[in-house]
Structures are given as C-alpha cells and as structure tokens.
Amino acid sequence: MASTREIDARGAFCPGPLMELLAAIKEVEVGDSLEVLSTDKGSADDIPEWARKVGHEVVETREENGVYHVIIRKTK
Amino acid sequence: MKKVVIVGGGTGGTILANNLARRLAHELRAGQVSLTVLSASDKHMYQPGLLYVAFGRMEVDELYQDQASLLEPGIVFHVDPVEKFVLDKNHVVTKSGKRFEYDYLAIATGSRAMPDMVPGMAENAHHVYTVEAAAKTCEALRNFQGGKVAVVTGVPHKCPMVPLEITFMMYDYFKDRGLLDKVRIHYTYPIGRVHSLENVAKWAAPEFDRLGITYETLFNAKAVDGAKKQVLSEEGSVLDYDLLVAIPPHKGMEVIEKEGLGKSGFMPTNRGTLNLEGRDNVFVLGDTTNLPISKAGSTAHYEAEALGENLAALVRHGRMVRLYEGKVFCFIEAGKDRATYASFDYANPPQPKPPTKAIHWFKLAYNRLYWNSVRGLL
C-alpha cells in the first residue's frame, strides 16, 4: 500500500530541503509520497521544478504559518 | 554504577568520550561511573585531510593517530565493533561476542561513500573519501594533460563544501601547471543553485563565472558510461568528460541498516535532544543521525559538546540541561591559498565573507590542531 513519509527540513540550511528529498526518494517505493516541510521559500519553488523535470508527480504545494509543505509522489 | 557506552571512535564518539571523562572525572575515579568506547579501528583518521592528499599537499601518514592516545585516562577502549544493538534490554554485542550493558548509549558510527550506488561511478570516477581513492585522484590529477573535467555530486554526502573546494583547488592546480588553456572545468550540482547554502551559492556562482568554470544545476548522476566517457543525469542531460571527479552518495554504516535502526544507515534522531526517536537512554550524533544538517566533523563536534553536557547531567541528576541548536562551522577552501567559512545553526543562515589568505592559513593550522580538538582541548 502506498504511504506518505514526512521530511521535516524546517531550519535546514545545509544540505537543505531538496537535498533531503533527493536522499529520501531513493528509500521509498514507486507510488509512495513524500511531504517536505520547509521554512525556505526557495525550496518550495525548487522541489516542484526538480520533480517536474525528472517526471515525479507534484501532488500539492501550500504554505501554513510560514512553513511550506510540498508533496511529491514517486512515479518511477 | 552508571554505565555509559559510546559506539564509534570517530570525531563525535571521541569528543563525547573526552568531554564526559572531564565532566565526570570525580565519579569515574570513585567507580560510580564507567565510560566505554567501542570502535572498529585502533586508528583515528582526520578525514578532511584526504582532500589535501588528493592535491599532494598532505601525506597519508599525517592523517592518522592511535585512537587510544586521544582518549582521557579512565575511558575504557576496545577495538571491537558492535554487531547487535539489543535496545530493549539495554545492551550491545560486539564482533568478538562480548556483551556490554549500558544505562546510556551513544551511537556515532559515521557514514561511508558508496560510489556503487551510481552504476559506473566506482569504476570511472575519482573521489577523495578513502585513502586509496584520494591517492588515485592525486595520480590522475598529476597525469592529466588537458580536456574536460566534470564534477558530479551524489546525495547525501559528507562534508558539503567538498564539491566547491575540489573545483576551486583543481582550478589553481591546473593554473600552476600552466594547463588552464587546455582544461575546461564543468561543475554540476543536484539542486537549483551551485550550493545548498544560498549565501554560499551567491558567492560561488560569480566566482565560477570569473574563473571561466561552467556549471549546471539540477543535475543528479544516474549512471556513468566509461566507454563513452559520459555521465547521464536523472534529469535527462548527458555530460562528456575526460576526467571525472565525483562526490559519491553516502550511506550510514551497514550494521545500522542491518539492525533495522535506520534507512540507509541513518538513524531517526531528535533534533534538539539527539535522542534516538522513541528511546530515552539512547542518543545519536555525527553522520549517523538523519537530521537535515551537514554531515561534517564540526556538526559531530558541537553535537558531542551538547550531548556531553546532557549525559553528565543525566548521570548526576537524572535530567538534561540543554538542546543542540543545530550549530555547524565549515571552512571553505576557495583555491590553493584563499578560504572563507560558513557558520550557521537551525535559526541563523550563514553570511560568508570574501575569501582571505588568513582564513586559508587558519584552516591549514586546524588540520594540525584537530588532534587537540578531538581530545577536547580546543
């Protein structure tokens, strides 16, 4: 069954939210989702850009109280 | 008697052991506390020195000291790596079959480069994450007579400044050899800018432009084709090279994964207390954590100081006294004779200054001062 794993990258300047996603996506199955929590506006733009470039599905991006939530589903 | 067991004799484990030995000196002498370090090796390596070995600026034997010589009196040290973590029963079992019980356990087993994770990388790329690889890189750089140099970076990796440092250092190295007109350096990076740290990226990109180093972002190596001398990226691009320098993806140690303690060998860790999630008396530090911060010696150092204070307070009073605030300090070599640094924590991004010779010389001094640092004297 597909699952969603949370990556809490709030306050993560280095290596940063997208790097955390790049590491985590190797560890989950195709069909699983990853929800990245970030306080960095740049990564809220970078993560969907990378996902689209590679072909993963961008499920949702939203901001709540200064925290960006980006949900990506691994498609391959 | 309270028993503290530290698994791992690298930067984090050694600084933690020495920090605790000083804080609990009275209790150690009185036999009220025992402090045991279990490590896979009788030698301690200064890992950042491997970068200098690759450029012929440090010798391999300068990277090592005897681990026992770095530990405070009173610390019990065994070269006997842990193979089983029986956390429900508060003990670990070592390779030799010995059982070590603990009241508090700290795990600092580190991480390792895994070039095999990218097909073709191990066979075709040079790197600086083992002695053998650094020596081979040194030879490859020395023999290089010109062509395309490509730098690729895997995720995750330790020492996040290495991609930039090795690129700037290669530029000066080839400049000194009078080869710049025959060499084209192309830098790639996994995310949408040239470094994780935004302010470092803002400094490094114009430096690359000034030096004629080309770069490509959102580049994650998928495979290396040694016959065609090409790197294929997850994003669909193809990169030609004559000399390939990689920062390989890393994993934590095999035993962590085998014991089911963390995916890819990185353990789920509380960002403030450094507790292994769900365990009040087990702590994790250094590269072994899954924290979203740099895998670097300074991270292990600052974590060890915070944890040393907390473990001493737990032994004495049964409570912790502080949180690790995410502090990291990284030197950044900007060539052969200039450097800057990035200092940051969970709440404050770095503000790197323009590189200077003074900071470079301080870094070279730190390459020696490390042995005092790991003893807990600095």
Side-chain angles (χ1 to χ4, degrees), chain B residues 7-326:
Chain B
V7 182
T11 302
T14 307
I15 293 178
L16 175 62
N18 286 328
N19 187 301
L20 272 174
R22 288 205 181 83
R23 289 180 187 280
L24 297 172
H26 172 73
E27 288 85 349
L28 275 171
R29 275 197 300 273
Q32 296 160 349
V33 170
S34 73
L35 192 47
T36 304
V37 174
L38 302 171
S39 176
S41 173
D42 64 342
K43 295 277 188 289
H44 187 113
M45 185 207 268
Y46 176 58
Q47 295 179 50
L50 289 167
L51 177 66
Y52 298 85
V53 169
F55 287 92
R57 292 171 65 182
M58 276 182 96
E59 293 291 338
V60 170
D61 59 8
E62 293 176 87
L63 306 180
Y64 290 100
Q65 296 251 349
D66 288 335
Q67 174 67 14
S69 74
L70 302 173
L71 295 170
E72 284 284 300
I75 297 170
V76 178
F77 172 56
H78 296 286
V79 181
D80 197 2
V82 169
E83 293 199 334
K84 287 207 177 310
F85 291 86
V86 190
L87 303 184
D88 286 335
K89 293 183 178 169
N90 294 332
H91 71 255
V92 295
V93 181
T94 59
K95 190 177 178 182
S96 73
K98 288 198 188 83
R99 193 169 112 164
F100 290 86
E101 293 181 347
Y102 62 82
D103 294 285
Y104 298 103
L105 177 70
I107 303 172
T109 42
S111 67
R112 63 212 157 114
M114 299 288 289
D116 288 339
M117 286 170 70
V118 178
M121 184 179 275
E123 302 86 337
N124 298 297
H126 292 283
H127 70 86
V128 296
Y129 286 92
T130 64
V131 165
E132 296 74 23
K136 276 188 185 169
T137 302
C138 183
E139 198 182 330
L141 289 172
R142 202 170 51 230
N143 293 335
F144 194 61
Q145 296 302 322
K148 294 171 191 158
V149 181
V151 181
V152 298
T153 294
V155 181
H157 59 268
K158 73 172 125 188
C159 210
M161 300 308 173
V162 164
L164 289 178
E165 290 182 307
I166 203 162
T167 304
F168 287 125
M169 287 169 80
M170 281 196 295
Y171 178 89
D172 276 357
Y173 180 85
F174 293 130
K175 186 179 174 186
D176 284 352
R177 286 183 49 201
L179 281 177
L180 271 189
D181 57 335
K182 293 180 190 153
V183 172
R184 187 191 145 207
I185 301 176
H186 188 72
Y187 173 94
T188 69
Y189 203 64
I191 66 168
R193 54 185 181 235
V194 300
H195 193 262
S196 293
L197 292 162
E198 190 173 1
N199 289 337
V200 172
K202 279 182 184 165
W203 158 76
E207 277 292 287
F208 282 163
D209 291 337
R210 186 176 68 82
L211 302 174
I213 296 169
T214 54
Y215 49 89
E216 179 176 350
T217 56
L218 292 178
F219 186 102
N220 289 274
K222 183 164 75 175
V224 179
D225 184 334
K228 291 184 182 167
K229 294 204 160 190
Q230 289 181 329
V231 186
L232 315 175
S233 82
E234 297 278 0
E235 293 77 11
S237 56
V238 178
L239 174 61
D240 294 316
Y241 69 84
D242 295 300
L243 177 69
L244 180 60
V245 176
I247 287 71
H250 279 59
K251 277 191 169 190
M253 300 319 260
E254 201 177 358
V255 66
I256 303 299
E257 220 173 352
K258 210 168 132 193
E259 288 288 280
L261 294 170
K263 285 194 171 176
S264 300
F266 300 119
M267 302 175 73
T269 306
N270 182 288
R271 62 165 61 198
T273 64
L274 302 176
N275 276 103
L276 172 63
E277 293 291 358
R279 299 278 171 180
D280 289 340
N281 66 337
V282 182
F283 299 86
V284 191
L285 69 161
D287 290 359
T288 317
T289 78
N290 73 339
L291 293 176
I293 50 174
S294 310
K295 296 198 180 301
S298 73
T299 307
H301 185 142
Y302 291 122
E303 287 172 342
E305 287 186 344
L307 188 51
E309 216 171 321
N310 278 340
L311 277 175
L314 277 167
V315 166
R316 282 181 170 157
H317 313 296
R319 58 176 166 74
M320 289 195 259
V321 290
R322 64 174 283 197
L323 296 175
Y324 169 62
E325 68 280 14

Side-chain angles (χ1 to χ4, degrees), chain A residues 11 13, chain B residues 325-326 344-349:
Chain A
F13 296 115
Chain B
E325 68 280 14
F344 52 101
D345 57 35
Y346 290 141
N348 302 290

Side-chain angles (χ1 to χ4, degrees), chain A residues 12-72:
Chain A
F13 296 115
C14 184
L18 176 51
M19 288 280 209
E20 295 298 333
L21 174 69
L22 291 169
I25 207 159
K26 297 175 191 169
E27 298 173 354
V28 301
E29 303 296 324
V30 171
D32 287 349
S33 297
L34 292 152
E35 178 170 2
V36 185
L37 275 60
S38 164
T39 42
D40 167 32
K41 170 78 174 78
S43 60
D45 299 330
D46 268 6
I47 292 173
E49 185 191 343
W50 174 79
R52 287 189 190 103
K53 201 167 175 184
V54 174
H56 297 303
E57 183 186 345
V58 181
V59 179
E60 188 183 351
T61 57
R62 67 176 196 279
E63 188 199 340
E64 270 176 31
N65 304 319
V67 178
Y68 299 92
H69 297 249
V70 186
I71 303 175
I72 302 294

